[in-house]
Amino acid sequence: MDTVTEEQWRAWDAFHAMRRQLDRALDQSLQEGVSLSAAEYETLIALGRTPDRRLRVTELARAMGWEKSRVSHLIGRMEKRGLIARRSCATDARGAWVVATFDGRRAALRAMRGHNRALQDCVFEVLSDEETAELGRLSSKMLAALDRARTIPTETGLRSEEQ
Amino acid sequence: MDTVTEEQWRAWDAFHAMRRQLDRALDQSLQEGVSLSAAEYETLIALGRTPDRRLRVTELARAMGWEKSRVSHLIGRMEKRGLIARRSCATDARGAWVVATFDGRRAALRAMRGHNRALQDCVFEVLSDEETAELGRLSSKMLAALDRARTIPTETGLRSEEQ
DNA sequence: AAAGATTGACACGTCAATCTTA
DNA sequence: TAAGATTGACGTGTCAATCTTT
């Protein structure tokens, strides 16, 4: 049964449009002070969350579900901007530690204010606690299905040339 | 009160992760046959929905909430790939009509199968009808708040240099 | 001048190839 | 060889400047 109902389309359209607008708003919220991209912001936050304030490129990539090369390019640009620095790794000369600079930490802190306020304005103040919880629950449910589809790659994956 | 609760963070994290994975899955679903980017797919679908199968660049941009220049670049690439064509406009020599070519329509049709199946697998079969409706409702609610914030740009917008 | 649209410079992500150390 | 990471080419989006027609 491949038919999608009217109601399903309506829900999907709203969801789709909301995602677009929310991304816009959140990106904008990171433009105060030293303007950061969403990727830069998440990187700095990830570094801040870590016990010794440093991560290997690969760890960073795994933590965010990004490609290593993406992180490498990103880190390169951020280093040039003075937001992070690379420190050579004592135990493994192949890799390097990524650490936030003072300026990087400061930019992240400043950005966090705007970002949290945007989250508050666009999500948490708009939805009741129950609705927020429900959104989380639905997201988790979809996430589980998506992970399942990714590990058992027949779901939406390659489907050969039948008509 | 700017405090975000544990439950809110949990919900947000799930939502955020889900969005990332869903985007991945949907992008992948457009890679069958002539592989299309999400933007290309949406463009072709938008053209197909229109009464006379053609749209001005500006209309296209407005319909999707994209920048005119983005559409212009996109259209340029799609024209080079033979997916769409520009037709000069009789009543207004400044602009041009964008129409899908036969190959473009065929590619969109093929992509639509994969896309709808992915939607089915990742969303509509995962959520019950009630849950889908609820997702739509929550999305609409957020969307309304986002539009309000965009038209009355004080919500998350420029907030001057107070500490 | 304003509207329709394009262009070029630049920022970002992906993919495949590469380099270095383990 | 494999793992950590970088690099270059390329596709894509943004912003500001520009061109043409109204």
Side-chain angles (χ1 to χ4, degrees):
Chain A
M1 188 56 72
D2 263 21
T3 17
V4 179
T5 67
E6 262 309 304
E7 283 78 28
Q8 287 178 325
W9 277 128
R10 248 199 298 285
W12 175 253
D13 281 346
F15 178 67
H16 199 220
M18 178 272 281
R19 276 167 16 123
R20 269 209 284 258
Q21 292 295 97
L22 188 55
D23 277 343
R24 261 192 190 297
L26 292 182
D27 283 356
Q28 271 232 330
S29 77
L30 296 173
Q31 304 305 315
E32 305 177 34
V34 178
S35 84
L36 298 176
S37 70
E40 289 171 332
Y41 178 67
E42 287 189 55
T43 300
L44 290 169
I45 295 297
L47 288 173
R49 268 209 252 271
T50 221
D52 41 2
R53 314 277 141 166
R54 59 183 193 176
L55 281 172
R56 303 293 294 263
V57 171
T58 305
E59 294 175 320
L60 217 35
R62 208 164 30 69
M64 322 241 233
W66 293 343
E67 306 234 339
K68 255 186 319 199
S69 77
R70 172 177 179 179
V71 176
S72 198
H73 283 302
L74 181 62
I75 292 303
R77 280 176 249 130
M78 290 178 76
E79 190 169 30
K80 217 174 285 175
R81 291 183 60 191
L83 296 169
I84 59 96
R86 288 175 163 98
R87 298 232 181 294
S88 55
C89 177
T91 62
D92 186 343
R94 287 174 303 181
W97 291 105
V98 180
V99 301
T101 61
F102 177 76
D103 282 355
R105 286 192 294 275
R106 197 167 38 144
L109 262 170
R110 188 172 181 72
M112 199 188 300
R113 291 196 211 109
H115 187 254
N116 285 358
R117 167 153 296 285
L119 233 48
Q120 200 79 38
D121 290 348
C122 301
V123 186
F124 301 137
E125 271 177 16
V126 174
L127 304 183
S128 70
D129 287 355
E130 291 74 31
E131 288 173 326
T132 303
E134 181 65 5
L135 181 66
R137 211 182 59 72
L138 298 178
S139 298
S140 300
K141 203 167 176 184
M142 293 169 70
L143 195 54
L146 283 158
D147 284 344
R148 232 177 299 128
R150 210 159 46 74
T151 45
I152 308 155
T154 358
E155 281 253 55
T156 76
L158 306 210
R159 181 167 304 268
S160 53
E161 310 289 283
E162 27 72 338
Q163 155 52 305
Chain B
M1 189 55 68
D2 265 21
T3 17
V4 180
T5 67
E6 261 310 304
E7 283 78 28
Q8 287 177 324
W9 277 128
R10 249 200 298 283
W12 175 254
D13 281 346
F15 178 68
H16 199 221
M18 177 271 282
R19 276 167 15 124
R20 267 210 284 259
Q21 292 296 99
L22 188 55
D23 277 343
R24 261 191 191 296
L26 291 182
D27 283 356
Q28 270 232 331
S29 76
L30 297 174
Q31 302 307 314
E32 306 176 35
V34 179
S35 84
L36 298 176
S37 71
E40 289 170 332
Y41 178 68
E42 287 189 56
T43 301
L44 289 169
I45 294 297
L47 287 174
R49 269 209 253 271
T50 221
D52 39 2
R53 316 274 141 169
R54 58 182 194 177
L55 281 172
R56 304 291 296 264
V57 171
T58 304
E59 295 174 320
L60 217 34
R62 207 164 30 70
M64 323 240 235
W66 292 344
E67 307 234 337
K68 255 187 319 201
S69 77
R70 173 177 179 180
V71 176
S72 197
H73 282 302
L74 180 63
I75 292 303
R77 282 175 248 129
M78 290 177 77
E79 189 168 31
K80 217 173 283 175
R81 289 182 63 190
L83 296 170
I84 59 95
R86 287 176 164 98
R87 298 229 181 295
S88 55
C89 177
T91 63
D92 186 343
R94 287 173 304 182
W97 291 106
V98 180
V99 301
T101 61
F102 177 75
D103 283 356
R105 286 191 295 274
R106 196 166 40 141
L109 262 169
R110 189 174 180 71
M112 200 190 297
R113 291 197 211 109
H115 187 254
N116 285 359
R117 166 152 297 285
L119 233 49
Q120 200 78 39
D121 291 347
C122 301
V123 185
F124 301 137
E125 272 177 15
V126 174
L127 304 182
S128 70
D129 286 356
E130 292 73 31
E131 288 174 327
T132 303
E134 181 64 6
L135 182 65
R137 212 183 59 73
L138 297 178
S139 298
S140 299
K141 204 167 175 184
M142 293 169 70
L143 195 52
L146 284 158
D147 284 345
R148 232 177 299 128
R150 209 157 46 74
T151 46
I152 308 154
T154 358
E155 280 254 52
T156 75
L158 305 210
R159 182 167 303 269
S160 53
E161 311 289 284
E162 26 72 341
Q163 155 51 310

